[in-house]
Amino acid sequence: MTRELAIRARGLSKHFGSLRAVDKLDLDVPKASIYGFLGPNGSGKSTTIRMLCGLLTPTDGRADVLGFEVPEHSKELKPKIGYMTQRFSLFGDMTVAENLEFIAEIYSFPAAHRASRVDELLEKYDLTEQRKQFAGTMSGGQRQRLALACAVLHHPELLLLDEPTSAVDPQSRRDFWANLFRLAEGGTTILVSTHYMDEAERCHRLAILDHGVKVADGSPRQLQSSTGMHVVEVLADNPYHAQTALINIAMVASVTQLGVRLRVLIPDSVDDPLALVNQNLQKHKVPAQSRIVAASLEDVFVAVTMNPERRAA
Amino acid sequence: MKSLSRLMAVMRKEVRQMRRDRLTFAMIVGIPLMQLLLFGYAINMDVRNLSTAIADEANTHLSREFVAGLAASQVTNIEYRVSTAAELERMMQAGEISIGVAIPHDFDRRVADDTRAAVHLLVDGSDPTIAGIADKLRNMPIAFDTSAAPRKQGLIEVRPYYNPERRTPMNVIPGLIAVILMMTMMLFTAVAIVRERERGNLELLINTPVTSAELMIGKVVPYIAIGLVQLALILLAGGLLFDVPVRGSIIDLYLAAGLFIAANLALGLFFSTAVKTQFQAMQLTFFLMLPSILLSGFVFPFDGMPVVAQYLGEVLPTTHFIRLTRGIMLREATLGDLPGELIYLGVFAIVATTAAALRFSKRLD
Ligand SMILES: Nc1ncnc2c1ncn2[C@@H]1O[C@H](COP(=O)(O)OP(=O)(O)O)[C@@H](O)[C@H]1O
Ligand SMILES: [Mg+2]
């Protein structure tokens, strides 16, 4: 790693009673990059982000964020980070402009530049028309833009975004990511959690979390090329029959249906996965075409989050 | 400097939100006025000025003395003097009067004879309040009706009989100030933090540079101002509607109120840090309201309560503030006359604020 790290965590753990919400997490987030946290609900994404900004005390392990140990030095850290909570956390009974002004005051943004900074953000995040609208009455996409505008108002070095796009339409998501790239180009480090594959694919690096455990990390390309699985795509008129024909083979790690296609994961140890699939389809008299394809991020996700016995097979 | 501007930002935000929250706004003005009217009039059993007509057929020295006593009582407002009992009946029927007093021509003799009624009281029985009063009038020592031997001095003892404390609102309102402030202040701050927790605002707030102290003080200060406004409102309405005076220094009263308000806000804030939902905060507040009303000396005389209840009462800030308000407003006492009460309120405020600040951490766990 040549670039400096914005976040470095070692053995970071958080237990709630007997539940290991985050379990011995190691994390290296390079500066000025977009780092993704991919994982299903309850995998520990929010808990990790909260530990990183000092809101939760780790049960074990340590984390260094922008050179500050958390949670011990989170007070010094606060002015340097921007945090967008999973749930909308701005004031619904205040207008868009009032919310931005409040944030500016709380972060002691120089009074002389406050008004122009608010105008600039309204413009940049396409909220000028909503300026006097109460935040509580806005649409999901508008709220999200306001939340991002508030999170970046004080020019933080690090942005922590917790599932920022889970409540917005696809167009808003694309626009949102355009904003994130613009920020990253400006030198901001961004840690963003998501459960959308297409978003994960856009990250420079990402970590996949499952039940509090980091099961993979790297660039999307690295992850795709190191699944340890062959991917066979099966196109069948009756995908259901094809699935039944394939699911019970010991050698097959998983079968996932995507429309009329099936994606079949077979461990690297199998020499001719295509033959294996075709033989079994013929045996069950299921008409289908199959071919070897490159692993998508979705395949990676399926491969790393499947239960361990199945993976070992 | 930065701290001050953050504090101002929190306060501005609180005021802004408060202004927009109709319920809060209604509570600020509505609760004091409603309570004042409710307690002021309901506890006030001193019904006065019932419109009355008198038919004095006897017109003797004794009967005139009786009528004068009745007039002095202020219960009745003698609006008409007629000559016959029949006329009283007609007026009653027409709804012109609530009470008719018929004094028969042999009044003097009847007074001496304890087997016969000396006076006939016509009462508008359709109004239960008035009927109740008639009952009381009849049971008075002077036997208007069919009862025991009359006592001459009984004639002028009419009024004190059913209002021994004389003008009740005067005694109720100093205590009512304490109860109203206690209710509203504690409720405001009890929900203050937990509401932001429920709405998710807290997670954003605690991730900004704002400190716990700034957040706490920023939430309390606007409400102190509101408490003082409420006090002015109650004093004004109490003065206008019930002639309740402030005999001592109004500055003393405001100083004592300031401490009492701070004590309640701090207690509310502590509750707010201790509970998980607004509902729990409300419950906790109501849980404390009952003893504050019953054990503070507001409803029952403090000295008449069982010892255990007295001990409990001593813990409540309301008890001490009621002593202060009664002292200052009615007995013309100064703060120097009641140092113990003042010190208790101050100590309570400090302890509760500290407890709240300690309990509130800028963490989620
Ligand atoms: N304050 C808490 N107390 C108890 N359990 C919690 C708490 N916060 C999160 N959890 C649990 O920890 C696990 C991880 O939660 P979270 O980090 O929110 O996951 P994600 O953000 O990936 O959906 C979940 O099982 C959740 O129920
Ligand atoms: Mg989450």
Side-chain angles (χ1 to χ4, degrees):
Chain A
M1 189 60 54
T2 49
R3 273 203 284 183
E4 252 188 291
L5 293 181
I7 301 174
R8 187 187 141 91
R10 288 294 174 267
L12 200 61
S13 304
K14 180 71 188 179
H15 301 172
F16 294 112
S18 63
L19 175 79
R20 295 174 177 222
V22 177
D23 199 10
K24 299 192 193 71
L25 183 75
D26 293 342
L27 200 62
D28 289 310
V29 179
K31 280 194 170 161
S33 68
I34 301 183
Y35 195 98
F37 255 8
L38 183 64
N41 287 332
S43 56
K45 303 184 294 293
S46 299
T47 306
T48 306
I49 290 177
R50 284 172 175 159
M51 282 193 284
L52 292 176
C53 47
L55 295 184
L56 284 177
T57 316
T59 312
D60 198 14
R62 50 201 294 120
D64 178 301
V65 182
L66 299 176
F68 298 104
E69 286 281 321
V70 285
E72 293 81 9
H73 296 283
S74 44
K75 189 165 183 282
E76 294 96 307
L77 177 66
K78 304 262 158 170
K80 296 182 185 296
I81 58 172
Y83 173 40
M84 189 169 153
T85 50
Q86 179 168 356
R87 192 180 148 200
F88 183 67
S89 56
L90 284 153
F91 302 93
D93 49 2
M94 301 208 304
T95 67
V96 169
E98 285 168 355
N99 269 292
L100 283 164
E101 280 153 16
F102 174 68
I103 296 292
E105 290 165 8
I106 282 290
Y107 278 99
S108 309
F109 199 85
H113 307 295
R114 238 173 245 167
S116 61
R117 177 67 175 150
V118 169
D119 288 341
E120 178 194 341
L121 287 168
L122 288 174
E123 178 75 38
K124 207 181 247 177
Y125 291 96
D126 196 17
L127 289 166
T128 309
E129 272 175 45
Q130 280 76 39
R131 184 182 188 108
K132 295 212 165 122
Q133 191 174 341
F134 285 114
T137 65
M138 296 200 301
S139 75
Q142 292 167 338
R143 285 180 186 204
Q144 175 220 42
R145 293 204 298 279
L146 174 61
L148 183 63
C150 286
V152 302
L153 187 142
H154 59 295
H155 302 294
E157 291 172 40
L158 171 67
L159 264 184
L160 299 152
L161 311 174
D162 196 358
E163 291 191 29
T165 56
S166 52
V168 303
D169 60 277
Q171 180 58 44
S172 300
R173 276 173 52 196
R174 274 193 293 280
D175 296 344
F176 186 81
W177 275 83
N179 282 324
L180 294 195
F181 281 115
R182 200 172 60 191
L183 286 163
E185 273 158 31
T188 311
T189 311
I190 300 173
L191 180 76
V192 54
S193 77
T194 180
H195 50 233
Y196 292 117
M197 295 301 155
D198 61 318
E199 290 189 348
E201 233 151 77
R202 294 158 178 252
C203 298
H204 298 124
R205 284 177 70 86
L206 78 136
I208 299 179
L209 292 187
D210 185 32
H211 291 95
V213 179
K214 186 176 81 176
V215 287
D217 79 349
S219 69
R221 194 162 296 194
Q222 279 170 344
L223 292 174
Q224 279 161 311
S225 62
S226 60
T227 50
M229 297 277 173
H230 297 292
V231 183
V232 180
E233 188 183 71
V234 177
L235 183 61
D237 292 337
N238 190 331
Y240 176 72
H241 283 165
Q243 190 163 13
T244 4
L246 298 172
I247 194 84
N248 288 320
I249 310 169
M251 233 56 100
V252 171
S254 86
V255 183
T256 314
Q257 185 175 349
L258 293 172
V260 292
R261 287 163 212 275
L262 298 180
R263 293 187 77 97
V264 185
L265 298 188
I266 298 167
D268 273 346
S269 50
V270 176
D271 284 337
D272 193 350
L274 201 55
L276 178 75
V277 167
N278 285 335
Q279 279 161 18
N280 278 282
L281 287 171
Q282 277 156 18
K283 196 164 83 189
H284 289 83
K285 303 197 173 52
V286 182
Q289 293 151 334
S290 45
R291 63 192 177 108
I292 300 267
V293 293
S296 70
L297 210 50
E298 175 107 36
D299 299 323
V300 175
F301 186 76
V302 171
V304 296
T305 58
M306 76 180 65
N307 57 47
E309 310 92 74
R310 194 85 200 176
R311 203 180 322 167
Chain B
M1 220 27 241
K2 277 185 177 181
S3 180
L4 191 68
S5 84
R6 285 196 299 257
L7 182 63
M8 293 300 291
V10 174
M11 277 166 30
R12 246 199 308 277
K13 165 189 144 296
E14 289 295 323
V15 171
R16 192 170 260 159
Q17 289 183 306
M18 196 152 61
R19 256 200 347 242
R20 285 182 186 152
D21 184 2
R22 288 233 184 88
L23 197 69
T24 304
F25 200 74
M27 260 169 63
I28 294 170
V29 182
I31 289 192
L33 287 184
M34 213 180 65
Q35 299 273 348
L36 189 74
L37 295 179
L38 214 68
F39 280 96
Y41 281 119
I43 295 186
N44 173 15
M45 289 157 299
D46 182 16
V47 178
R48 283 192 276 173
N49 299 331
L50 295 175
S51 85
T52 305
I54 291 188
D56 185 358
E57 292 176 5
N59 200 16
T60 60
H61 175 74
L62 192 59
S63 77
R64 283 194 296 273
E65 197 175 331
F66 171 76
V67 171
L70 209 58
S73 79
Q74 295 184 356
V75 177
T76 56
N77 183 20
I78 300 170
E79 290 176 1
Y80 310 95
R81 287 174 188 273
V82 295
S83 45
T84 64
E87 249 174 297
L88 289 180
E89 241 165 280
R90 188 198 58 76
M91 294 178 85
M92 177 73 65
Q93 212 107 54
E96 286 166 30
I97 52 171
S98 300
I99 290 179
V101 182
I103 303 175
H105 60 88
D106 52 351
F107 176 70
D108 289 23
R109 225 167 1 115
R110 283 170 179 250
V111 167
D113 180 357
D114 56 12
T115 61
R116 299 170 72 195
V119 173
H120 292 287
L121 204 62
L122 280 75
V123 167
D124 180 1
S126 63
D127 186 330
T129 332
I130 299 173
I133 283 162
D135 247 8
K136 285 179 181 156
L137 280 172
R138 198 183 51 200
N139 292 330
M140 283 193 313
I142 32 149
F144 290 92
D145 211 23
T146 54
S147 51
R151 296 278 173 274
K152 221 181 143 202
Q153 70 272 29
L155 289 178
I156 26 179
E157 275 169 7
V158 172
R159 214 171 153 279
Y161 174 77
Y162 52 94
N163 188 11
E165 304 237 319
R166 301 188 74 84
R167 300 164 61 215
T168 316
M170 203 146 103
N171 295 310
V172 172
I173 284 174
L176 194 58
I177 290 174
V179 169
I180 290 173
L181 286 178
M182 183 266 308
M183 271 188 196
T184 47
M185 291 298 109
M186 212 155 62
L187 213 50
F188 281 142
T189 44
V191 299
I193 285 182
V194 78
R195 179 174 53 209
E196 298 208 315
R197 192 186 296 276
E198 274 186 354
R199 290 182 184 168
N201 307 138
L202 204 65
E203 189 168 354
L204 173 119
L205 278 176
I206 59 179
N207 208 46
T208 68
V210 73
T211 66
S212 304
E214 288 157 8
L215 212 54
M216 295 287 151
I217 297 171
K219 279 179 178 298
V220 162
V221 171
Y223 290 110
I224 292 187
I226 283 176
L228 294 178
V229 169
Q230 279 191 330
L231 177 60
L233 210 67
I234 304 168
L235 287 179
L236 201 70
L240 287 177
L241 298 175
F242 305 111
D243 288 334
V244 176
V246 182
R247 295 197 178 119
S249 149
I250 190 118
I251 295 173
D252 280 2
L253 187 59
Y254 265 86
L255 284 176
L259 267 187
F260 178 64
I261 289 168
N264 279 295
L265 289 173
L267 186 62
L269 216 51
F270 175 71
F271 284 171
S272 207
T273 60
V275 298
K276 287 268 181 283
T277 64
Q278 287 193 67
F279 183 68
Q280 288 174 348
M282 299 250 199
Q283 276 188 318
L284 208 52
T285 308
F286 283 115
F287 179 73
L288 211 74
M289 262 179 208
L290 217 57
S292 294
I293 290 173
L294 297 179
L295 304 183
S296 61
F298 173 56
V299 176
F300 307 118
F302 199 80
D303 294 331
M305 297 193 311
V307 180
V308 180
Q310 286 192 13
Y311 279 131
L312 284 174
E314 288 289 352
V315 179
L316 303 164
T318 312
T319 309
H320 299 271
F321 185 56
I322 286 182
R323 288 179 193 156
L324 281 164
T325 51
R326 284 190 178 151
I328 294 169
M329 291 174 69
L330 305 180
R331 296 199 310 272
E332 215 177 321
T334 62
L335 291 183
D337 297 333
L338 300 152
E341 320 298 342
L342 212 58
I343 289 169
Y344 183 83
L345 289 182
V347 169
F348 192 96
I350 291 167
V351 169
T353 312
T354 313
L358 287 180
R359 263 211 68 97
F360 181 81
S361 74
K362 285 189 75 187
R363 302 263 166 84
L364 288 173
D365 54 359

